[in-house]
Amino acid sequence: MAPTDFDVAIIGYGPTGLTAASLLGQLGHRVVVIERWPTLYGLPRLTHIDGETARLLSFACDIDEALRDSSPIESYIFYNAKGRPLVDVGKVPSLPMGFPAHISIHQPDIEAAIDRRVRTLTNVVIHQGTELTGLKSTAGTIELAMKRDGRVETLRSSYVFGADGARSFVRSALGIERDDNGFNERWLNIDGERKRSMASSFEETKQYCDPARGHMFLPIGKNRQRFEFALLKHEDTAEMEKAESAWKILRHYHGVGPDDIEIIRQLVYTFECRMAQNWRRGQAFLGGDAAHTMPPYMGQGACSGIRDAANIAWKFDLVLRGAASADILDSYELERRPHVDNIMRSATMLGKVANTHSRAVAFIRDVAFRFNLVPSPPPFPAFAAGVIQDDRSGEAGKAVGSVPPQGQVSIGGRTGRLDDQVGYRFALIAENNPAAVLDPTRIGFLRDLGCRLFTLADNAGPGVERIVDTGGVYSNYLAEKHVAALLTRPDTNLFGFAPGMPDLPRLVDELRQKLGWRKSALAA
């Protein structure tokens, strides 16, 4: 490969690009960020993350700082026009993640916290207020042209991660088309900062599926409020973005006026559901809205983009270090596309419920929900292929490729969430000392990989740390799956299990084979 200026060029500095920049920067790679806007957005576009996403963000920033103005979401109920509940989307089954299952957040806090971490990394260069104007592959690298301050500059990067939104320049430059799932609905979004206490009902997240006009509201963190209203066919977008239109519709539906909130954002969005036909072209990859957009009814748009960044960053790391085969980069789309597709289908189904415009169809819909004829959104799927264990038989096999629970643990006298102590790296947790069954070659591979080795028993030794399983989360999880050990990836997904301690060498060998391991001495 020809010499380059950077290892990875990240295009776009929203939640997906920020996360990728932080993770890759902390891993020591030369990263450049190109973002067309001169500053962070500063307003709350996204308002929800789930507990799994909070885990990933904890690797990218000070998570307590990022969530300082957040609050748990206890429910997300869809009601019909008469106010009768149809379904609670917040009750989708999930494992404990060390954070609330659903969190109302203030996006600027999260972006600022990640940006603050990124700016401590001297190996990350950030070009804000810079427009990407060209992208082409040359001699195994990618040449990028960018325009800033009226000047055009070029740079070369080994890889590109396009996280530049739904209108992605990277996607267009690569000639990648999108498949449209046919969901296109206009909604008016009004965000406000509370001037005084409001009715307690506004602390809840509610979606009213009224064929006359669908509408919803939810809290944004602790002191802000979002209202959304479906637009009718005859309503003009520009007219509905005027302040007087906002106050009129807020008074009509909620009795809310200028004495209650200060409007900080008012926009008409067209909710859509589109997927890029390919997420990769050569050395360039797509993530976040550049790869997939979905209706907001699962609150998973930004969560999916953050998962994209966490999935690909550790793979870039191993390939760039020459430790693993570049073939593992093919697993990025292989793992992420089906997962996103599943969420998009659920979000579209809920979107159709929320956007039922016919009273007759709404009546049939309400009856179907009343008699439990409509299935609830399913749990998120595990990966079916990729960098995961092949044997997925039995009860334990169903969990391979999913995200295991997170609990409080004590390691070396320090107590806290496991992720906070392990970091963005592989981890092996066994009921007994893994060094008792792993030979020096396998131990050396795991050490070179940067994998932390843990035992739940009181038999730690050189290179193996004792976990005091404070809440019993890990011992109970192993017992529930009838296994002796689990191996997790940096993105918290399960690589696989060892049914018994004698099976652990085979699990380690399979990880080595799946990575296409090429290096015997990788610095941890």
PDB file of all heavy atoms in Angstrom, residues 224-247:
ATOM      1  N   ARG A 224     -36.145  19.984  28.971  1.00  0.00           N
ATOM      2  CA  ARG A 224     -36.558  20.354  27.618  1.00  0.00           C
ATOM      3  C   ARG A 224     -37.658  19.407  27.161  1.00  0.00           C
ATOM      4  O   ARG A 224     -37.811  18.319  27.711  1.00  0.00           O
ATOM      5  CB  ARG A 224     -35.364  20.320  26.655  1.00  0.00           C
ATOM      6  CG  ARG A 224     -34.264  21.310  27.029  1.00  0.00           C
ATOM      7  CD  ARG A 224     -33.011  21.116  26.193  1.00  0.00           C
ATOM      8  NE  ARG A 224     -31.939  22.017  26.619  1.00  0.00           N
ATOM      9  CZ  ARG A 224     -31.082  21.753  27.587  1.00  0.00           C
ATOM     10  NH1 ARG A 224     -31.164  20.601  28.253  1.00  0.00           N
ATOM     11  NH2 ARG A 224     -30.141  22.624  27.914  1.00  0.00           N
ATOM     12  N   GLN A 225     -38.387  19.831  26.165  1.00  0.00           N
ATOM     13  CA  GLN A 225     -39.554  19.075  25.732  1.00  0.00           C
ATOM     14  C   GLN A 225     -39.609  19.034  24.216  1.00  0.00           C
ATOM     15  O   GLN A 225     -39.331  20.036  23.549  1.00  0.00           O
ATOM     16  CB  GLN A 225     -40.833  19.738  26.276  1.00  0.00           C
ATOM     17  CG  GLN A 225     -42.071  18.890  26.147  1.00  0.00           C
ATOM     18  CD  GLN A 225     -42.096  17.777  27.195  1.00  0.00           C
ATOM     19  OE1 GLN A 225     -41.647  17.965  28.315  1.00  0.00           O
ATOM     20  NE2 GLN A 225     -42.604  16.617  26.805  1.00  0.00           N
ATOM     21  N   ARG A 226     -39.950  17.873  23.675  1.00  0.00           N
ATOM     22  CA  ARG A 226     -40.177  17.745  22.232  1.00  0.00           C
ATOM     23  C   ARG A 226     -41.649  17.465  21.975  1.00  0.00           C
ATOM     24  O   ARG A 226     -42.285  16.662  22.668  1.00  0.00           O
ATOM     25  CB  ARG A 226     -39.331  16.621  21.631  1.00  0.00           C
ATOM     26  CG  ARG A 226     -39.724  16.276  20.177  1.00  0.00           C
ATOM     27  CD  ARG A 226     -38.652  15.501  19.464  1.00  0.00           C
ATOM     28  NE  ARG A 226     -37.461  16.330  19.300  1.00  0.00           N
ATOM     29  CZ  ARG A 226     -36.307  15.870  18.784  1.00  0.00           C
ATOM     30  NH1 ARG A 226     -36.208  14.602  18.411  1.00  0.00           N
ATOM     31  NH2 ARG A 226     -35.280  16.679  18.654  1.00  0.00           N
ATOM     32  N   PHE A 227     -42.175  18.136  20.929  1.00  0.00           N
ATOM     33  CA  PHE A 227     -43.522  17.878  20.424  1.00  0.00           C
ATOM     34  C   PHE A 227     -43.398  17.593  18.933  1.00  0.00           C
ATOM     35  O   PHE A 227     -42.629  18.262  18.228  1.00  0.00           O
ATOM     36  CB  PHE A 227     -44.434  19.100  20.625  1.00  0.00           C
ATOM     37  CG  PHE A 227     -44.584  19.541  22.056  1.00  0.00           C
ATOM     38  CD1 PHE A 227     -43.731  20.497  22.599  1.00  0.00           C
ATOM     39  CD2 PHE A 227     -45.578  19.009  22.862  1.00  0.00           C
ATOM     40  CE1 PHE A 227     -43.867  20.924  23.908  1.00  0.00           C
ATOM     41  CE2 PHE A 227     -45.723  19.430  24.181  1.00  0.00           C
ATOM     42  CZ  PHE A 227     -44.864  20.386  24.707  1.00  0.00           C
ATOM     43  N   GLU A 228     -44.140  16.618  18.449  1.00  0.00           N
ATOM     44  CA  GLU A 228     -44.144  16.327  17.017  1.00  0.00           C
ATOM     45  C   GLU A 228     -45.580  16.141  16.550  1.00  0.00           C
ATOM     46  O   GLU A 228     -46.417  15.572  17.269  1.00  0.00           O
ATOM     47  CB  GLU A 228     -43.301  15.079  16.706  1.00  0.00           C
ATOM     48  CG  GLU A 228     -41.813  15.292  16.947  1.00  0.00           C
ATOM     49  CD  GLU A 228     -40.973  14.080  16.562  1.00  0.00           C
ATOM     50  OE1 GLU A 228     -41.558  13.024  16.235  1.00  0.00           O
ATOM     51  OE2 GLU A 228     -39.737  14.178  16.586  1.00  0.00           O
ATOM     52  N   PHE A 229     -45.835  16.601  15.315  1.00  0.00           N
ATOM     53  CA  PHE A 229     -47.179  16.544  14.745  1.00  0.00           C
ATOM     54  C   PHE A 229     -47.091  16.109  13.287  1.00  0.00           C
ATOM     55  O   PHE A 229     -46.279  16.659  12.521  1.00  0.00           O
ATOM     56  CB  PHE A 229     -47.856  17.921  14.825  1.00  0.00           C
ATOM     57  CG  PHE A 229     -47.953  18.479  16.209  1.00  0.00           C
ATOM     58  CD1 PHE A 229     -46.933  19.285  16.718  1.00  0.00           C
ATOM     59  CD2 PHE A 229     -49.049  18.196  17.012  1.00  0.00           C
ATOM     60  CE1 PHE A 229     -47.004  19.803  18.001  1.00  0.00           C
ATOM     61  CE2 PHE A 229     -49.133  18.716  18.301  1.00  0.00           C
ATOM     62  CZ  PHE A 229     -48.110  19.512  18.797  1.00  0.00           C
ATOM     63  N   ALA A 230     -47.901  15.140  12.921  1.00  0.00           N
ATOM     64  CA  ALA A 230     -47.983  14.742  11.510  1.00  0.00           C
ATOM     65  C   ALA A 230     -48.580  15.888  10.706  1.00  0.00           C
ATOM     66  O   ALA A 230     -49.546  16.526  11.144  1.00  0.00           O
ATOM     67  CB  ALA A 230     -48.836  13.489  11.360  1.00  0.00           C
ATOM     68  N   LEU A 231     -48.022  16.173   9.546  1.00  0.00           N
ATOM     69  CA  LEU A 231     -48.569  17.209   8.689  1.00  0.00           C
ATOM     70  C   LEU A 231     -49.579  16.603   7.716  1.00  0.00           C
ATOM     71  O   LEU A 231     -49.405  15.484   7.229  1.00  0.00           O
ATOM     72  CB  LEU A 231     -47.456  17.911   7.908  1.00  0.00           C
ATOM     73  CG  LEU A 231     -46.446  18.710   8.746  1.00  0.00           C
ATOM     74  CD1 LEU A 231     -45.623  19.610   7.833  1.00  0.00           C
ATOM     75  CD2 LEU A 231     -47.140  19.549   9.814  1.00  0.00           C
ATOM     76  N   LEU A 232     -50.612  17.344   7.451  1.00  0.00           N
ATOM     77  CA  LEU A 232     -51.641  16.915   6.503  1.00  0.00           C
ATOM     78  C   LEU A 232     -51.203  17.284   5.094  1.00  0.00           C
ATOM     79  O   LEU A 232     -50.340  18.148   4.884  1.00  0.00           O
ATOM     80  CB  LEU A 232     -52.964  17.581   6.863  1.00  0.00           C
ATOM     81  CG  LEU A 232     -53.398  17.412   8.341  1.00  0.00           C
ATOM     82  CD1 LEU A 232     -54.735  18.080   8.588  1.00  0.00           C
ATOM     83  CD2 LEU A 232     -53.426  15.935   8.737  1.00  0.00           C
ATOM     84  N   LYS A 233     -51.778  16.638   4.117  1.00  0.00           N
ATOM     85  CA  LYS A 233     -51.324  16.789   2.733  1.00  0.00           C
ATOM     86  C   LYS A 233     -51.354  18.244   2.263  1.00  0.00           C
ATOM     87  O   LYS A 233     -50.484  18.683   1.513  1.00  0.00           O
ATOM     88  CB  LYS A 233     -52.166  15.921   1.803  1.00  0.00           C
ATOM     89  CG  LYS A 233     -51.874  14.427   1.929  1.00  0.00           C
ATOM     90  CD  LYS A 233     -52.673  13.631   0.914  1.00  0.00           C
ATOM     91  CE  LYS A 233     -52.335  12.142   0.996  1.00  0.00           C
ATOM     92  NZ  LYS A 233     -53.094  11.341   0.010  1.00  0.00           N
ATOM     93  N   HIS A 234     -52.368  18.999   2.709  1.00  0.00           N
ATOM     94  CA  HIS A 234     -52.514  20.367   2.211  1.00  0.00           C
ATOM     95  C   HIS A 234     -51.618  21.363   2.940  1.00  0.00           C
ATOM     96  O   HIS A 234     -51.520  22.518   2.522  1.00  0.00           O
ATOM     97  CB  HIS A 234     -53.982  20.809   2.351  1.00  0.00           C
ATOM     98  CG  HIS A 234     -54.411  21.019   3.774  1.00  0.00           C
ATOM     99  ND1 HIS A 234     -54.879  19.985   4.566  1.00  0.00           N
ATOM    100  CD2 HIS A 234     -54.435  22.134   4.559  1.00  0.00           C
ATOM    101  CE1 HIS A 234     -55.188  20.453   5.753  1.00  0.00           C
ATOM    102  NE2 HIS A 234     -54.926  21.754   5.788  1.00  0.00           N
ATOM    103  N   GLU A 235     -50.969  20.956   4.015  1.00  0.00           N
ATOM    104  CA  GLU A 235     -50.187  21.893   4.824  1.00  0.00           C
ATOM    105  C   GLU A 235     -48.809  22.121   4.202  1.00  0.00           C
ATOM    106  O   GLU A 235     -48.089  21.175   3.891  1.00  0.00           O
ATOM    107  CB  GLU A 235     -50.065  21.380   6.261  1.00  0.00           C
ATOM    108  CG  GLU A 235     -51.404  21.447   6.993  1.00  0.00           C
ATOM    109  CD  GLU A 235     -51.365  20.877   8.393  1.00  0.00           C
ATOM    110  OE1 GLU A 235     -50.627  19.897   8.620  1.00  0.00           O
ATOM    111  OE2 GLU A 235     -52.089  21.400   9.264  1.00  0.00           O
ATOM    112  N   ASP A 236     -48.468  23.385   4.057  1.00  0.00           N
ATOM    113  CA  ASP A 236     -47.214  23.784   3.420  1.00  0.00           C
ATOM    114  C   ASP A 236     -46.052  23.718   4.417  1.00  0.00           C
ATOM    115  O   ASP A 236     -46.177  24.202   5.559  1.00  0.00           O
ATOM    116  CB  ASP A 236     -47.356  25.212   2.867  1.00  0.00           C
ATOM    117  CG  ASP A 236     -46.072  25.710   2.239  1.00  0.00           C
ATOM    118  OD1 ASP A 236     -45.696  25.195   1.174  1.00  0.00           O
ATOM    119  OD2 ASP A 236     -45.450  26.622   2.836  1.00  0.00           O
ATOM    120  N   THR A 237     -44.944  23.137   3.992  1.00  0.00           N
ATOM    121  CA  THR A 237     -43.795  22.972   4.870  1.00  0.00           C
ATOM    122  C   THR A 237     -43.290  24.308   5.402  1.00  0.00           C
ATOM    123  O   THR A 237     -43.087  24.483   6.615  1.00  0.00           O
ATOM    124  CB  THR A 237     -42.660  22.234   4.145  1.00  0.00           C
ATOM    125  OG1 THR A 237     -43.082  20.890   3.858  1.00  0.00           O
ATOM    126  CG2 THR A 237     -41.390  22.195   4.977  1.00  0.00           C
ATOM    127  N   ALA A 238     -43.083  25.276   4.514  1.00  0.00           N
ATOM    128  CA  ALA A 238     -42.556  26.579   4.930  1.00  0.00           C
ATOM    129  C   ALA A 238     -43.505  27.262   5.911  1.00  0.00           C
ATOM    130  O   ALA A 238     -43.069  27.895   6.889  1.00  0.00           O
ATOM    131  CB  ALA A 238     -42.316  27.467   3.713  1.00  0.00           C
ATOM    132  N   GLU A 239     -44.797  27.149   5.676  1.00  0.00           N
ATOM    133  CA  GLU A 239     -45.784  27.780   6.550  1.00  0.00           C
ATOM    134  C   GLU A 239     -45.750  27.144   7.943  1.00  0.00           C
ATOM    135  O   GLU A 239     -45.851  27.845   8.964  1.00  0.00           O
ATOM    136  CB  GLU A 239     -47.176  27.642   5.945  1.00  0.00           C
ATOM    137  CG  GLU A 239     -48.255  28.457   6.640  1.00  0.00           C
ATOM    138  CD  GLU A 239     -48.055  29.966   6.485  1.00  0.00           C
ATOM    139  OE1 GLU A 239     -47.432  30.401   5.491  1.00  0.00           O
ATOM    140  OE2 GLU A 239     -48.501  30.701   7.390  1.00  0.00           O
ATOM    141  N   MET A 240     -45.593  25.818   7.975  1.00  0.00           N
ATOM    142  CA  MET A 240     -45.605  25.119   9.262  1.00  0.00           C
ATOM    143  C   MET A 240     -44.316  25.337  10.048  1.00  0.00           C
ATOM    144  O   MET A 240     -44.263  25.022  11.232  1.00  0.00           O
ATOM    145  CB  MET A 240     -45.851  23.625   9.046  1.00  0.00           C
ATOM    146  CG  MET A 240     -47.220  23.308   8.469  1.00  0.00           C
ATOM    147  SD  MET A 240     -48.598  23.983   9.450  1.00  0.00           S
ATOM    148  CE  MET A 240     -48.453  23.020  10.958  1.00  0.00           C
ATOM    149  N   GLU A 241     -43.293  25.875   9.416  1.00  0.00           N
ATOM    150  CA  GLU A 241     -42.056  26.166  10.128  1.00  0.00           C
ATOM    151  C   GLU A 241     -42.031  27.583  10.700  1.00  0.00           C
ATOM    152  O   GLU A 241     -41.037  27.994  11.301  1.00  0.00           O
ATOM    153  CB  GLU A 241     -40.848  25.929   9.208  1.00  0.00           C
ATOM    154  CG  GLU A 241     -40.607  24.441   8.925  1.00  0.00           C
ATOM    155  CD  GLU A 241     -39.388  24.182   8.074  1.00  0.00           C
ATOM    156  OE1 GLU A 241     -38.947  25.121   7.367  1.00  0.00           O
ATOM    157  OE2 GLU A 241     -38.871  23.050   8.094  1.00  0.00           O
ATOM    158  N   LYS A 242     -43.132  28.320  10.540  1.00  0.00           N
ATOM    159  CA  LYS A 242     -43.241  29.646  11.141  1.00  0.00           C
ATOM    160  C   LYS A 242     -43.663  29.523  12.604  1.00  0.00           C
ATOM    161  O   LYS A 242     -44.419  28.636  12.977  1.00  0.00           O
ATOM    162  CB  LYS A 242     -44.258  30.491  10.369  1.00  0.00           C
ATOM    163  CG  LYS A 242     -43.821  30.823   8.943  1.00  0.00           C
ATOM    164  CD  LYS A 242     -44.877  31.657   8.235  1.00  0.00           C
ATOM    165  CE  LYS A 242     -44.443  32.013   6.812  1.00  0.00           C
ATOM    166  NZ  LYS A 242     -45.485  32.800   6.094  1.00  0.00           N
ATOM    167  N   ALA A 243     -43.178  30.461  13.423  1.00  0.00           N
ATOM    168  CA  ALA A 243     -43.440  30.412  14.861  1.00  0.00           C
ATOM    169  C   ALA A 243     -44.933  30.417  15.177  1.00  0.00           C
ATOM    170  O   ALA A 243     -45.394  29.691  16.063  1.00  0.00           O
ATOM    171  CB  ALA A 243     -42.746  31.582  15.552  1.00  0.00           C
ATOM    172  N   GLU A 244     -45.707  31.227  14.421  1.00  0.00           N
ATOM    173  CA  GLU A 244     -47.142  31.299  14.723  1.00  0.00           C
ATOM    174  C   GLU A 244     -47.845  29.963  14.502  1.00  0.00           C
ATOM    175  O   GLU A 244     -48.813  29.631  15.192  1.00  0.00           O
ATOM    176  CB  GLU A 244     -47.820  32.403  13.904  1.00  0.00           C
ATOM    177  CG  GLU A 244     -47.586  32.333  12.412  1.00  0.00           C
ATOM    178  CD  GLU A 244     -46.429  33.203  11.961  1.00  0.00           C
ATOM    179  OE1 GLU A 244     -45.468  33.371  12.742  1.00  0.00           O
ATOM    180  OE2 GLU A 244     -46.495  33.719  10.819  1.00  0.00           O
ATOM    181  N   SER A 245     -47.350  29.171  13.544  1.00  0.00           N
ATOM    182  CA  SER A 245     -47.931  27.843  13.317  1.00  0.00           C
ATOM    183  C   SER A 245     -47.647  26.933  14.498  1.00  0.00           C
ATOM    184  O   SER A 245     -48.493  26.123  14.905  1.00  0.00           O
ATOM    185  CB  SER A 245     -47.372  27.232  12.031  1.00  0.00           C
ATOM    186  OG  SER A 245     -47.722  28.012  10.912  1.00  0.00           O
ATOM    187  N   ALA A 246     -46.424  27.027  15.045  1.00  0.00           N
ATOM    188  CA  ALA A 246     -46.066  26.204  16.201  1.00  0.00           C
ATOM    189  C   ALA A 246     -46.958  26.519  17.391  1.00  0.00           C
ATOM    190  O   ALA A 246     -47.508  25.617  18.037  1.00  0.00           O
ATOM    191  CB  ALA A 246     -44.600  26.428  16.568  1.00  0.00           C
ATOM    192  N   TRP A 247     -47.132  27.814  17.698  1.00  0.00           N
ATOM    193  CA  TRP A 247     -47.938  28.180  18.863  1.00  0.00           C
ATOM    194  C   TRP A 247     -49.400  27.779  18.672  1.00  0.00           C
ATOM    195  O   TRP A 247     -50.061  27.337  19.625  1.00  0.00           O
ATOM    196  CB  TRP A 247     -47.836  29.677  19.142  1.00  0.00           C
ATOM    197  CG  TRP A 247     -46.464  30.107  19.560  1.00  0.00           C
ATOM    198  CD1 TRP A 247     -45.687  31.069  18.991  1.00  0.00           C
ATOM    199  CD2 TRP A 247     -45.695  29.586  20.653  1.00  0.00           C
ATOM    200  NE1 TRP A 247     -44.489  31.185  19.635  1.00  0.00           N
ATOM    201  CE2 TRP A 247     -44.468  30.278  20.678  1.00  0.00           C
ATOM    202  CE3 TRP A 247     -45.930  28.596  21.611  1.00  0.00           C
ATOM    203  CZ2 TRP A 247     -43.477  30.018  21.612  1.00  0.00           C
ATOM    204  CZ3 TRP A 247     -44.936  28.333  22.555  1.00  0.00           C
ATOM    205  CH2 TRP A 247     -43.732  29.037  22.551  1.00  0.00           C
TER     206      TRP A 247
END
